[in-house]
Amino acid sequence: MATSFVIISMREKKAKDAYNRRYEASIKDELTGLYNRRGFEADCEIIKKNNNLIEYVLIMMDLNGLKAANDNISHEAGDELIIGASKCMVNAFSGLGRTYRVGGDEFVALLRGTREEAQDAVKTFDYLTENFQGNLISELSVSKGVVVCSEHIELNFEEIKAMADKLMYADKDEYYRRTGKDRRRV
């Protein structure tokens, strides 16, 4: 009888391990290894359920120049930008929270910590992107919208996301104004 219990427990453990591997794969982005949109939405539901939004800093990010890299160089160059940006995010943000690739060149970081910790992490991220050097691409630029949730306790999660998105697009507009590049043209 003891032998059959061990066999069943081993089967259950293998089945549980296989399920966990499949679940983990379903919430991870294949190209970057970051969490994907499904992972982001699952984490957002947990934050809403636990009502602890004020503990977070939300950063919405979008690559600048991905279309130009894809169209003028190659899709491998575009992938290099996406992967390079994700590595910079992991190096800058992983100690404070999770980073997600939620679209083609759209990313989100959900960080726990103070305004100062988030500012330091963003400075690190900016330094890493400014010093990026790929094989096909030598410039990496990412527009960001940063919202410290504790400074906006009157807003719900959707409003916080909308605010971060608006700030990110303002940063993107500033990037294209400053560089003189036309983002509508390749």
Side-chain angles (χ1 to χ4, degrees), residues 39-54:
F40 176 63
E41 290 171 356
D43 286 350
C44 290
E45 288 306 313
I46 292 168
I47 290 169
K48 290 176 194 176
K49 180 180 169 188
N50 293 335
N51 199 28
N52 63 343
L53 179 61
I54 64 168

Side-chain angles (χ1 to χ4, degrees), residues 124-185:
T124 299
F125 176 70
D126 289 342
Y127 174 81
L128 294 169
T129 58
E130 289 167 10
N131 290 287
F132 171 81
Q133 184 61 50
N135 295 321
L136 301 170
I137 295 287
S138 60
E139 180 186 338
L140 174 58
S141 174
V142 180
S143 293
K144 300 172 297 302
V146 180
V147 177
V148 179
C149 298
S150 64
E151 295 174 3
H152 302 281
I153 58 173
E154 74 283 1
L155 301 179
N156 66 36
F157 196 75
E158 296 308 314
E159 293 167 324
I160 293 282
K161 285 192 322 189
M163 178 186 280
D165 209 41
K166 184 177 180 181
L167 290 169
M168 185 268 302
Y169 277 109
D171 190 40
K172 184 173 275 298
D173 288 342
E174 174 58 23
Y175 166 81
Y176 284 104
R177 187 199 59 73
R178 186 179 68 252
T179 62
K181 295 177 180 178
D182 183 352
R183 71 185 201 203
R184 291 164 200 84
R185 293 182 185 214

